[in-house]
PDB file of all heavy atoms in Angstrom:
ATOM      1  N   THR Y   1       0.807  -1.218   0.000  1.00  0.00           N
ATOM      2  CA  THR Y   1       0.000   0.000   0.000  1.00  0.00           C
ATOM      3  C   THR Y   1       0.842   1.271   0.000  1.00  0.00           C
ATOM      4  O   THR Y   1       0.296   2.363  -0.077  1.00  0.00           O
ATOM      5  CB  THR Y   1      -0.951   0.025   1.203  1.00  0.00           C
ATOM      6  OG1 THR Y   1      -0.187  -0.167   2.395  1.00  0.00           O
ATOM      7  CG2 THR Y   1      -1.996  -1.052   1.094  1.00  0.00           C
ATOM      8  N   TYR Y   2       2.161   1.165   0.084  1.00  0.00           N
ATOM      9  CA  TYR Y   2       3.014   2.342  -0.011  1.00  0.00           C
ATOM     10  C   TYR Y   2       3.399   2.648  -1.462  1.00  0.00           C
ATOM     11  O   TYR Y   2       4.141   3.579  -1.719  1.00  0.00           O
ATOM     12  CB  TYR Y   2       4.292   2.144   0.817  1.00  0.00           C
ATOM     13  CG  TYR Y   2       4.036   2.158   2.310  1.00  0.00           C
ATOM     14  CD1 TYR Y   2       4.085   0.988   3.035  1.00  0.00           C
ATOM     15  CD2 TYR Y   2       3.739   3.343   2.983  1.00  0.00           C
ATOM     16  CE1 TYR Y   2       3.850   0.982   4.403  1.00  0.00           C
ATOM     17  CE2 TYR Y   2       3.492   3.353   4.335  1.00  0.00           C
ATOM     18  CZ  TYR Y   2       3.557   2.176   5.052  1.00  0.00           C
ATOM     19  OH  TYR Y   2       3.314   2.176   6.399  1.00  0.00           O
ATOM     20  N   PHE Y   3       2.918   1.853  -2.385  1.00  0.00           N
ATOM     21  CA  PHE Y   3       3.282   1.981  -3.799  1.00  0.00           C
ATOM     22  C   PHE Y   3       2.095   2.501  -4.588  1.00  0.00           C
ATOM     23  O   PHE Y   3       0.988   1.974  -4.506  1.00  0.00           O
ATOM     24  CB  PHE Y   3       3.705   0.607  -4.325  1.00  0.00           C
ATOM     25  CG  PHE Y   3       4.003   0.559  -5.803  1.00  0.00           C
ATOM     26  CD1 PHE Y   3       5.008   1.330  -6.346  1.00  0.00           C
ATOM     27  CD2 PHE Y   3       3.273  -0.276  -6.641  1.00  0.00           C
ATOM     28  CE1 PHE Y   3       5.295   1.274  -7.708  1.00  0.00           C
ATOM     29  CE2 PHE Y   3       3.554  -0.344  -7.997  1.00  0.00           C
ATOM     30  CZ  PHE Y   3       4.571   0.438  -8.524  1.00  0.00           C
ATOM     31  N   GLY Y   4       2.319   3.560  -5.362  1.00  0.00           N
ATOM     32  CA  GLY Y   4       1.274   4.093  -6.237  1.00  0.00           C
ATOM     33  C   GLY Y   4       1.242   3.302  -7.523  1.00  0.00           C
ATOM     34  O   GLY Y   4       1.937   3.622  -8.482  1.00  0.00           O
ATOM     35  N   GLU Y   5       0.429   2.259  -7.536  1.00  0.00           N
ATOM     36  CA  GLU Y   5       0.426   1.326  -8.668  1.00  0.00           C
ATOM     37  C   GLU Y   5      -0.030   1.990  -9.961  1.00  0.00           C
ATOM     38  O   GLU Y   5      -1.080   2.624  -9.999  1.00  0.00           O
ATOM     39  CB  GLU Y   5      -0.466   0.135  -8.351  1.00  0.00           C
ATOM     40  CG  GLU Y   5      -0.425  -0.954  -9.392  1.00  0.00           C
ATOM     41  CD  GLU Y   5      -1.088  -2.234  -8.933  1.00  0.00           C
ATOM     42  OE1 GLU Y   5      -0.995  -2.561  -7.736  1.00  0.00           O
ATOM     43  OE2 GLU Y   5      -1.720  -2.901  -9.785  1.00  0.00           O
ATOM     44  N   PRO Y   6       0.749   1.851 -11.040  1.00  0.00           N
ATOM     45  CA  PRO Y   6       0.340   2.463 -12.309  1.00  0.00           C
ATOM     46  C   PRO Y   6      -0.893   1.785 -12.906  1.00  0.00           C
ATOM     47  O   PRO Y   6      -1.066   0.570 -12.779  1.00  0.00           O
ATOM     48  CB  PRO Y   6       1.562   2.242 -13.223  1.00  0.00           C
ATOM     49  CG  PRO Y   6       2.684   1.850 -12.327  1.00  0.00           C
ATOM     50  CD  PRO Y   6       2.061   1.191 -11.148  1.00  0.00           C
ATOM     51  N   VAL Y   7      -1.705   2.566 -13.550  1.00  0.00           N
ATOM     52  CA  VAL Y   7      -2.839   2.077 -14.337  1.00  0.00           C
ATOM     53  C   VAL Y   7      -2.569   2.478 -15.781  1.00  0.00           C
ATOM     54  O   VAL Y   7      -2.433   3.664 -16.089  1.00  0.00           O
ATOM     55  CB  VAL Y   7      -4.173   2.682 -13.853  1.00  0.00           C
ATOM     56  CG1 VAL Y   7      -5.311   2.261 -14.777  1.00  0.00           C
ATOM     57  CG2 VAL Y   7      -4.457   2.256 -12.424  1.00  0.00           C
ATOM     58  N   PHE Y   8      -2.457   1.485 -16.670  1.00  0.00           N
ATOM     59  CA  PHE Y   8      -2.145   1.748 -18.072  1.00  0.00           C
ATOM     60  C   PHE Y   8      -3.389   1.560 -18.937  1.00  0.00           C
ATOM     61  O   PHE Y   8      -4.149   0.603 -18.743  1.00  0.00           O
ATOM     62  CB  PHE Y   8      -1.057   0.789 -18.572  1.00  0.00           C
ATOM     63  CG  PHE Y   8       0.215   0.847 -17.774  1.00  0.00           C
ATOM     64  CD1 PHE Y   8       0.611  -0.244 -17.009  1.00  0.00           C
ATOM     65  CD2 PHE Y   8       1.014   1.981 -17.787  1.00  0.00           C
ATOM     66  CE1 PHE Y   8       1.785  -0.207 -16.271  1.00  0.00           C
ATOM     67  CE2 PHE Y   8       2.186   2.033 -17.051  1.00  0.00           C
ATOM     68  CZ  PHE Y   8       2.573   0.930 -16.290  1.00  0.00           C
ATOM     69  N   ILE Y   9      -3.593   2.451 -19.886  1.00  0.00           N
ATOM     70  CA  ILE Y   9      -4.685   2.286 -20.837  1.00  0.00           C
ATOM     71  C   ILE Y   9      -4.144   2.465 -22.255  1.00  0.00           C
ATOM     72  O   ILE Y   9      -3.129   3.139 -22.472  1.00  0.00           O
ATOM     73  CB  ILE Y   9      -5.852   3.259 -20.591  1.00  0.00           C
ATOM     74  CG1 ILE Y   9      -5.440   4.702 -20.902  1.00  0.00           C
ATOM     75  CG2 ILE Y   9      -6.380   3.164 -19.183  1.00  0.00           C
ATOM     76  CD1 ILE Y   9      -6.634   5.612 -21.060  1.00  0.00           C
ATOM     77  N   VAL Y  10      -4.832   1.831 -23.195  1.00  0.00           N
ATOM     78  CA  VAL Y  10      -4.455   1.920 -24.606  1.00  0.00           C
ATOM     79  C   VAL Y  10      -5.187   3.102 -25.240  1.00  0.00           C
ATOM     80  O   VAL Y  10      -6.400   3.249 -25.079  1.00  0.00           O
ATOM     81  CB  VAL Y  10      -4.818   0.627 -25.354  1.00  0.00           C
ATOM     82  CG1 VAL Y  10      -4.438   0.739 -26.830  1.00  0.00           C
ATOM     83  CG2 VAL Y  10      -4.131  -0.571 -24.717  1.00  0.00           C
ATOM     84  N   GLY Y  11      -4.459   3.937 -25.945  1.00  0.00           N
ATOM     85  CA  GLY Y  11      -5.094   5.051 -26.636  1.00  0.00           C
ATOM     86  C   GLY Y  11      -4.070   6.076 -27.074  1.00  0.00           C
ATOM     87  O   GLY Y  11      -2.896   6.017 -26.709  1.00  0.00           O
ATOM     88  N   ASN Y  12      -4.520   7.012 -27.884  1.00  0.00           N
ATOM     89  CA  ASN Y  12      -3.668   8.104 -28.325  1.00  0.00           C
ATOM     90  C   ASN Y  12      -3.723   9.216 -27.282  1.00  0.00           C
ATOM     91  O   ASN Y  12      -4.791   9.732 -26.969  1.00  0.00           O
ATOM     92  CB  ASN Y  12      -4.139   8.616 -29.685  1.00  0.00           C
ATOM     93  CG  ASN Y  12      -3.143   9.573 -30.311  1.00  0.00           C
ATOM     94  OD1 ASN Y  12      -2.735  10.548 -29.694  1.00  0.00           O
ATOM     95  ND2 ASN Y  12      -2.753   9.296 -31.552  1.00  0.00           N
ATOM     96  N   CYS Y  13      -2.571   9.590 -26.749  1.00  0.00           N
ATOM     97  CA  CYS Y  13      -2.547  10.567 -25.659  1.00  0.00           C
ATOM     98  C   CYS Y  13      -2.988  11.959 -26.099  1.00  0.00           C
ATOM     99  O   CYS Y  13      -3.234  12.829 -25.260  1.00  0.00           O
ATOM    100  CB  CYS Y  13      -1.164  10.624 -25.026  1.00  0.00           C
ATOM    101  SG  CYS Y  13       0.141  11.236 -26.115  1.00  0.00           S
ATOM    102  N   LEU Y  14      -3.096  12.176 -27.403  1.00  0.00           N
ATOM    103  CA  LEU Y  14      -3.578  13.465 -27.896  1.00  0.00           C
ATOM    104  C   LEU Y  14      -5.100  13.537 -27.962  1.00  0.00           C
ATOM    105  O   LEU Y  14      -5.655  14.566 -28.344  1.00  0.00           O
ATOM    106  CB  LEU Y  14      -2.993  13.752 -29.283  1.00  0.00           C
ATOM    107  CG  LEU Y  14      -1.491  14.015 -29.322  1.00  0.00           C
ATOM    108  CD1 LEU Y  14      -1.007  14.140 -30.757  1.00  0.00           C
ATOM    109  CD2 LEU Y  14      -1.133  15.264 -28.522  1.00  0.00           C
ATOM    110  N   SER Y  15      -5.766  12.443 -27.610  1.00  0.00           N
ATOM    111  CA  SER Y  15      -7.234  12.445 -27.661  1.00  0.00           C
ATOM    112  C   SER Y  15      -7.850  12.247 -26.285  1.00  0.00           C
ATOM    113  O   SER Y  15      -8.958  11.751 -26.148  1.00  0.00           O
ATOM    114  CB  SER Y  15      -7.732  11.346 -28.618  1.00  0.00           C
ATOM    115  OG  SER Y  15      -7.270  10.071 -28.230  1.00  0.00           O
ATOM    116  N   LEU Y  16      -7.127  12.656 -25.232  1.00  0.00           N
ATOM    117  CA  LEU Y  16      -7.687  12.620 -23.883  1.00  0.00           C
ATOM    118  C   LEU Y  16      -8.736  13.715 -23.728  1.00  0.00           C
ATOM    119  O   LEU Y  16      -8.651  14.777 -24.348  1.00  0.00           O
ATOM    120  CB  LEU Y  16      -6.587  12.840 -22.844  1.00  0.00           C
ATOM    121  CG  LEU Y  16      -5.647  11.671 -22.563  1.00  0.00           C
ATOM    122  CD1 LEU Y  16      -4.499  12.146 -21.678  1.00  0.00           C
ATOM    123  CD2 LEU Y  16      -6.394  10.547 -21.878  1.00  0.00           C
ATOM    124  N   ASN Y  17      -9.715  13.446 -22.893  1.00  0.00           N
ATOM    125  CA  ASN Y  17     -10.719  14.448 -22.567  1.00  0.00           C
ATOM    126  C   ASN Y  17     -10.120  15.399 -21.540  1.00  0.00           C
ATOM    127  O   ASN Y  17     -10.023  15.075 -20.354  1.00  0.00           O
ATOM    128  CB  ASN Y  17     -11.973  13.777 -22.007  1.00  0.00           C
ATOM    129  CG  ASN Y  17     -13.093  14.773 -21.751  1.00  0.00           C
ATOM    130  OD1 ASN Y  17     -12.883  15.986 -21.772  1.00  0.00           O
ATOM    131  ND2 ASN Y  17     -14.285  14.268 -21.505  1.00  0.00           N
ATOM    132  N   THR Y  18      -9.686  16.568 -21.964  1.00  0.00           N
ATOM    133  CA  THR Y  18      -8.994  17.505 -21.073  1.00  0.00           C
ATOM    134  C   THR Y  18      -9.926  18.171 -20.067  1.00  0.00           C
ATOM    135  O   THR Y  18      -9.464  18.854 -19.156  1.00  0.00           O
ATOM    136  CB  THR Y  18      -8.286  18.596 -21.889  1.00  0.00           C
ATOM    137  OG1 THR Y  18      -9.235  19.280 -22.726  1.00  0.00           O
ATOM    138  CG2 THR Y  18      -7.201  17.991 -22.770  1.00  0.00           C
ATOM    139  N   HIS Y  19     -11.244  17.992 -20.225  1.00  0.00           N
ATOM    140  CA  HIS Y  19     -12.194  18.552 -19.255  1.00  0.00           C
ATOM    141  C   HIS Y  19     -12.449  17.578 -18.110  1.00  0.00           C
ATOM    142  O   HIS Y  19     -13.136  17.913 -17.146  1.00  0.00           O
ATOM    143  CB  HIS Y  19     -13.522  18.885 -19.943  1.00  0.00           C
ATOM    144  CG  HIS Y  19     -13.382  19.881 -21.052  1.00  0.00           C
ATOM    145  ND1 HIS Y  19     -13.080  21.204 -20.821  1.00  0.00           N
ATOM    146  CD2 HIS Y  19     -13.482  19.752 -22.403  1.00  0.00           C
ATOM    147  CE1 HIS Y  19     -13.014  21.851 -21.978  1.00  0.00           C
ATOM    148  NE2 HIS Y  19     -13.257  20.988 -22.948  1.00  0.00           N
ATOM    149  N   TYR Y  20     -11.908  16.389 -18.212  1.00  0.00           N
ATOM    150  CA  TYR Y  20     -12.214  15.329 -17.259  1.00  0.00           C
ATOM    151  C   TYR Y  20     -11.307  15.377 -16.032  1.00  0.00           C
ATOM    152  O   TYR Y  20     -11.759  15.262 -14.902  1.00  0.00           O
ATOM    153  CB  TYR Y  20     -12.093  13.976 -17.962  1.00  0.00           C
ATOM    154  CG  TYR Y  20     -12.280  12.769 -17.084  1.00  0.00           C
ATOM    155  CD1 TYR Y  20     -13.445  12.589 -16.351  1.00  0.00           C
ATOM    156  CD2 TYR Y  20     -11.290  11.801 -16.997  1.00  0.00           C
ATOM    157  CE1 TYR Y  20     -13.622  11.481 -15.554  1.00  0.00           C
ATOM    158  CE2 TYR Y  20     -11.463  10.686 -16.201  1.00  0.00           C
ATOM    159  CZ  TYR Y  20     -12.628  10.527 -15.483  1.00  0.00           C
ATOM    160  OH  TYR Y  20     -12.793   9.427 -14.692  1.00  0.00           O
ATOM    161  N   ARG Y  21     -10.023  15.567 -16.234  1.00  0.00           N
ATOM    162  CA  ARG Y  21      -9.083  15.514 -15.114  1.00  0.00           C
ATOM    163  C   ARG Y  21      -7.801  16.254 -15.462  1.00  0.00           C
ATOM    164  O   ARG Y  21      -7.343  16.216 -16.589  1.00  0.00           O
ATOM    165  CB  ARG Y  21      -8.746  14.059 -14.789  1.00  0.00           C
ATOM    166  CG  ARG Y  21      -7.777  13.884 -13.635  1.00  0.00           C
ATOM    167  CD  ARG Y  21      -7.343  12.434 -13.458  1.00  0.00           C
ATOM    168  NE  ARG Y  21      -8.354  11.637 -12.802  1.00  0.00           N
ATOM    169  CZ  ARG Y  21      -8.888  10.538 -13.322  1.00  0.00           C
ATOM    170  NH1 ARG Y  21      -8.511  10.127 -14.513  1.00  0.00           N
ATOM    171  NH2 ARG Y  21      -9.791   9.857 -12.661  1.00  0.00           N
ATOM    172  N   GLN Y  22      -7.246  16.958 -14.464  1.00  0.00           N
ATOM    173  CA  GLN Y  22      -5.918  17.550 -14.577  1.00  0.00           C
ATOM    174  C   GLN Y  22      -5.007  16.892 -13.546  1.00  0.00           C
ATOM    175  O   GLN Y  22      -5.475  16.319 -12.565  1.00  0.00           O
ATOM    176  CB  GLN Y  22      -5.968  19.065 -14.359  1.00  0.00           C
ATOM    177  CG  GLN Y  22      -6.659  19.819 -15.478  1.00  0.00           C
ATOM    178  CD  GLN Y  22      -6.678  21.319 -15.234  1.00  0.00           C
ATOM    179  OE1 GLN Y  22      -6.953  21.773 -14.124  1.00  0.00           O
ATOM    180  NE2 GLN Y  22      -6.379  22.086 -16.269  1.00  0.00           N
ATOM    181  N   TYR Y  23      -3.705  17.004 -13.768  1.00  0.00           N
ATOM    182  CA  TYR Y  23      -2.732  16.293 -12.939  1.00  0.00           C
ATOM    183  C   TYR Y  23      -1.716  17.257 -12.335  1.00  0.00           C
ATOM    184  O   TYR Y  23      -1.448  18.329 -12.880  1.00  0.00           O
ATOM    185  CB  TYR Y  23      -1.996  15.245 -13.782  1.00  0.00           C
ATOM    186  CG  TYR Y  23      -2.870  14.108 -14.233  1.00  0.00           C
ATOM    187  CD1 TYR Y  23      -3.705  14.248 -15.340  1.00  0.00           C
ATOM    188  CD2 TYR Y  23      -2.876  12.894 -13.558  1.00  0.00           C
ATOM    189  CE1 TYR Y  23      -4.523  13.205 -15.759  1.00  0.00           C
ATOM    190  CE2 TYR Y  23      -3.686  11.834 -13.965  1.00  0.00           C
ATOM    191  CZ  TYR Y  23      -4.503  12.003 -15.065  1.00  0.00           C
ATOM    192  OH  TYR Y  23      -5.315  10.967 -15.466  1.00  0.00           O
ATOM    193  N   ASP Y  24      -1.115  16.827 -11.212  1.00  0.00           N
ATOM    194  CA  ASP Y  24      -0.046  17.611 -10.598  1.00  0.00           C
ATOM    195  C   ASP Y  24       1.230  17.545 -11.423  1.00  0.00           C
ATOM    196  O   ASP Y  24       1.985  18.522 -11.486  1.00  0.00           O
ATOM    197  CB  ASP Y  24       0.265  17.072  -9.191  1.00  0.00           C
ATOM    198  CG  ASP Y  24      -0.908  17.205  -8.243  1.00  0.00           C
ATOM    199  OD1 ASP Y  24      -1.390  18.339  -8.067  1.00  0.00           O
ATOM    200  OD2 ASP Y  24      -1.348  16.178  -7.683  1.00  0.00           O
ATOM    201  N   ARG Y  25       1.475  16.370 -12.024  1.00  0.00           N
ATOM    202  CA  ARG Y  25       2.687  16.171 -12.804  1.00  0.00           C
ATOM    203  C   ARG Y  25       2.340  15.425 -14.086  1.00  0.00           C
ATOM    204  O   ARG Y  25       1.612  14.432 -14.055  1.00  0.00           O
ATOM    205  CB  ARG Y  25       3.736  15.365 -12.019  1.00  0.00           C
ATOM    206  CG  ARG Y  25       4.147  15.987 -10.676  1.00  0.00           C
ATOM    207  CD  ARG Y  25       4.965  17.241 -10.892  1.00  0.00           C
ATOM    208  NE  ARG Y  25       5.518  17.739  -9.641  1.00  0.00           N
ATOM    209  CZ  ARG Y  25       4.935  18.658  -8.868  1.00  0.00           C
ATOM    210  NH1 ARG Y  25       3.747  19.157  -9.226  1.00  0.00           N
ATOM    211  NH2 ARG Y  25       5.527  19.077  -7.767  1.00  0.00           N
TER     212      ARG Y  25
END
């Protein structure tokens, strides 16, 4: 539980919904 496990998805990173979520990094 001390590890931030990655979640990977298949897709083109230029077609993300930018209204859905923003990130710290």
Side-chain angles (χ1 to χ4, degrees):
T1 54
Y2 290 107
F3 175 61
E5 186 168 325
V7 174
F8 303 113
I9 68 163
V10 179
N12 191 307
C13 65
L14 292 174
S15 58
L16 284 171
N17 184 348
T18 57
H19 300 290
Y20 176 57
R21 180 187 282 123
Q22 291 181 316
Y23 292 81
D24 297 303
R25 302 290 188 267

